[in-house]
Amino acid sequence: MSKGKTILLVEDEEAIAYALKLNLEAEDYTVHLCETGGKAITFLQHHHADLLLLDVMLPEADGYQICMHFREKDKYTPVVFISAKNDHQSRMHGLRVGADDYINKPFNLDELMLKINRLLFKNDLRKDHDIVYFGDCWIDFTTLEAKGVNGTKVNMSKLEFDLAKLLITNKDKPLSRAFLYSKLWGYDKKHQPNSRTLDNFMVFIRRYFEKDISNPEYFVSVRGVGYKFVG
């Protein structure tokens, strides 16, 4: 599990940072250590990490701020807090800003290692799923499940999933009506139906995922062409 995995460790207590780095590297993890929140945010802007291990109380930016900043772009990569702030309110705040776990100091090293392995394993399983996030919504094209606006579960037809996937996989690229009819219904350009079938399907998709159907943010019309997905 650890082979090829990179962990960002953000810890300003030298003794704890050294011990964690040493033990993680002994398990064949690549560890990048940052002593301040500012350095961690800069690192994440330019580098990949498979797991974040964050202290809460840090110079420049605290662990909560790092996590919130990170979650704006990455909803999946595991984040674990390790903190001396062991009150219920601090723990709940850490989980609310996007952490997968919150471990109190002093901690049991073996338990921490097991949790890291578990989270990385679960994340590898998730990568087998074809999930797309946009705004507060997501679509899982493997399980054919979706969450729409206001956190509502969406019951989409298979054809609606196919249309959404076709647009999303061609992100920012306008797809013509003829192309969409060809891919979804098998019509060629000469025999494209005159009905508003495609438009009706787009209305449904917008109802699922757009806050303002009349002014869509993600599934937009391209005048004279067709539609495109903007993520």
Side-chain angles (χ1 to χ4, degrees), residues 32 46 62 71 83 86 110 115 142 185 202:
H32 186 91
H46 302 285
D62 64 30
R71 284 292 183 238
S83 177
N86 57 11
D110 290 336
K115 288 190 173 187
T142 301
W185 287 279
M202 287 303 304

Side-chain angles (χ1 to χ4, degrees), residues 143-158:
T143 63
L144 299 185
E145 297 176 318
K147 188 191 81 168
V149 291
N150 302 319
T152 56
K153 183 178 179 180
V154 175
N155 294 314
M156 297 171 65
S157 69
K158 179 61 167 60

Side-chain angles (χ1 to χ4, degrees), residues 79-82 91 94-95 99-103 115 118-119:
V79 176
V80 179
F81 283 115
I82 47 171
R91 176 181 175 82
L95 296 174
D100 297 271
D101 209 338
Y102 190 108
I103 299 173
K115 288 190 173 187
R118 176 182 61 84
L119 287 169

Side-chain angles (χ1 to χ4, degrees), residues 177 181 185 187-197:
R177 298 173 66 86
Y181 273 117
W185 287 279
Y187 293 111
D188 60 30
K189 190 172 183 179
K190 292 183 179 179
H191 297 91
Q192 181 178 316
N194 294 321
S195 71
R196 296 182 58 83
T197 303

